[in-house]
């Protein structure tokens, strides 16, 4: 209605989930809308995957990679992961740390696909390869589902039934030389879009990575976590794998991660569930609540044109 304009934005792709919140917040702040709804729905159970069609003419850059075996996102991330392991000594145990942290949180979440389905190191290490060095548990789930969040002004939020959570800062990022879904052609493929988004994100924030109480980091594949930890400034270049050691990503660790289970163990809805879980954490209603959580980083996919958002109480 004209007297109560509203905006709806859908999310497409792993780099997108944090961006609609930023656009809607800007629209509300500038008076273009009074209510914004961001949403994502997926029906992964329908239809064949696009890479199964061997007759279609491939777009650039896929025509240069798919004939040589980079058919799926798992293959593309697997290549980045192998390079990261070669450069910095990361191991499968580091990737297991990521998968385990997400699974442990899903085990606490009745809405998660992997609720009450524990993961052990033996299960991880003996699972089948999907695209070396990525095994079954390095890959996100296949999920049918839908989520949404509502954005209104801070003033209006005070009258809402639910405790408000505030959009503090947001950014989108694409580095120079980027080309395609996952980039192998720039000077440094291991410094991806997260580094660009992070510069803008922290520039407009009045706190730093050290002040983040809980993080919801896009996890379609386990290697994206150490790469994102570096890109968003939680550790130095090449230190992301070691950062996962000693329970750092668990509740009570240095940076509790993906507390609903994430794409690896709750559901894969292009990362939109990470936004909803971030809101739950700051409302104090998560199934794996971080005590006193007041700030949360939510990121979209590393390796692809990406976005991120900072939430706070």
């Amino acid at each position: 209605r004209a007297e109560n304009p509203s905006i709806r934005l859908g999310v497409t792709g792993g780099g997108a989930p944090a961006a609609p919140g930023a656009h809607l917040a800007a629209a509300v702040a500038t008076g273009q809308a009074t209510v914004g709804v961001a949403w994502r729905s997926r029906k992964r159970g329908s239809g064949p995957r696009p890479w199964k069609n061997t007759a279609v003419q491939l777009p650039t850059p896929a025509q240069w990679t798919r004939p040589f075996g980079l058919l799926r996102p798992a293959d593309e991330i697997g290549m980045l992961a192998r390079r990261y392991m070669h450069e910095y000594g990361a191991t499968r145990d580091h990737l297991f740390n990521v998968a385990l942290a997400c699974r442990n949180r899903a085990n606490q979440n009745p809405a998660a696909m992997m609720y009450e389905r524990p993961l052990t190191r033996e299960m991880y290490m003996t699972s089948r390869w999907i695209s070396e060095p990525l095994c079954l548990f390095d890959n996100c789930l296949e999920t049918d589902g839908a989520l949404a969040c509502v954005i209104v002004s801070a003033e209006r939020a005070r009258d809402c039934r639910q405790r408000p959570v505030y959009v503090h800062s947001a950014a989108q990022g694409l580095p120079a030389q980027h080309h395609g879904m996952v980039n192998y052609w720039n000077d440094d493929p291991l410094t991806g879009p997260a580094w660009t988004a992070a510069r803008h994100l922290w520039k407009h924030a009045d706190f730093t990575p050290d002040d983040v109480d809980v993080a919801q980091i896009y996890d379609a594949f386990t290697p994206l976590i150490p790469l994102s930890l570096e890109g968003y400034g939680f550790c130095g270049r090449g230190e992301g794998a070691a950062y996962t050691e000693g329970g750092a990503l668990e509740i009570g660790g240095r940076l509790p991660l993906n507390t609903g289970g994430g794409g690896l163990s709750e559901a894969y809805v292009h990362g939109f569930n990470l936004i909803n879980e971030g809101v739950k954490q700051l409302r104090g209603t998560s199934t794996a609540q971080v005590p006193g959580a007041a700030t949360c980083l939510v990121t979209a996919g590393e390796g692809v044109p990406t976005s991120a958002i900072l939430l706070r109480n």
Side-chain angles (χ1 to χ4, degrees):
R1 296 181 303 174
E3 68 274 17
N4 185 24
S6 62
I7 295 178
R8 294 177 295 165
L9 287 178
V11 179
T12 301
H23 293 300
L24 291 175
V28 170
T30 56
Q32 299 177 64
T34 56
V35 179
V37 179
W39 58 274
R40 180 60 174 145
S41 63
R42 304 195 80 209
K43 190 179 180 183
R44 292 293 277 175
S46 64
R49 298 297 177 263
W51 47 81
K52 287 189 175 183
N53 187 345
T54 58
V56 67
Q57 182 176 347
L58 296 173
T60 302
Q63 61 182 295
W64 309 118
T65 56
R66 289 188 181 175
F68 299 94
L70 296 182
L71 302 178
R72 308 159 297 174
D75 303 320
E76 296 174 315
I77 300 301
M79 188 176 218
L80 285 180
R82 182 63 78 190
R83 185 66 188 180
Y84 185 72
M85 293 167 125
H86 172 77
E87 292 282 354
Y88 299 113
T91 69
R92 292 191 67 207
D93 272 305
H94 292 122
L95 302 183
F96 168 66
N97 292 339
V98 173
L100 181 64
C102 293
R103 181 63 65 91
N104 286 343
R105 302 292 77 76
N107 289 165
Q108 299 174 257
N109 179 6
M113 292 180 68
M114 292 298 163
Y115 178 58
E116 294 186 337
R117 297 175 66 179
L119 176 65
T120 67
R121 185 178 183 278
E122 181 180 7
M123 290 169 60
Y124 177 90
M125 292 296 176
T126 58
S127 65
R128 70 181 186 270
W129 294 115
I130 301 300
S131 185
E132 288 191 56
L134 306 184
C135 71
L136 175 66
F137 298 112
D138 291 310
N139 292 260
C140 65
L141 301 169
E142 294 281 12
T143 310
D144 294 348
L147 306 97
C149 66
V150 179
I151 294 178
V152 297
S153 68
E155 181 180 5
R156 183 169 183 175
R158 296 188 190 102
D159 297 327
C160 292
R161 184 187 310 171
Q162 298 289 345
R163 175 183 174 183
V165 170
Y166 299 96
V167 175
H168 178 68
S169 177
Q172 293 179 260
L174 180 65
Q177 302 179 308
H178 195 88
H179 185 55
M181 177 177 172
V182 177
N183 192 37
Y184 307 121
W185 294 275
N186 62 2
D187 294 333
D188 185 1
L190 297 180
T191 301
W195 292 75
T196 302
R199 286 197 299 272
H200 296 283
L201 185 75
W202 298 118
K203 180 172 65 176
H204 297 291
D206 60 11
F207 58 89
T208 71
D210 290 338
D211 302 309
V212 173
D213 295 322
V214 60
Q216 315 295 334
I217 297 180
Y218 183 86
D219 60 338
F221 307 97
T222 55
L224 299 182
I225 298 297
L227 290 171
S228 294
L229 289 171
E230 295 174 20
Y232 286 97
F234 293 99
C235 56
R237 179 68 191 278
E239 298 175 355
Y243 188 100
T244 69
E245 297 171 355
L249 308 182
E250 304 282 354
I251 301 295
R254 296 167 67 184
L255 186 67
L257 181 87
N258 296 2
T259 46
L264 289 166
S265 283
E266 181 188 30
Y268 182 65
V269 197
H270 270 149
F272 201 92
N273 48 325
L274 300 176
I275 295 176
N276 286 22
E277 176 61 21
V279 171
K280 291 176 184 177
Q281 277 290 336
L282 300 192
R283 282 181 176 164
T285 60
S286 173
T287 54
Q289 186 61 46
V290 175
T295 57
C296 179
L297 168 68
V298 184
T299 78
E302 169 59 327
V304 297
T306 195
S307 57
I309 195 166
L310 287 171
L311 304 174
R312 72 182 310 167
N313 284 336

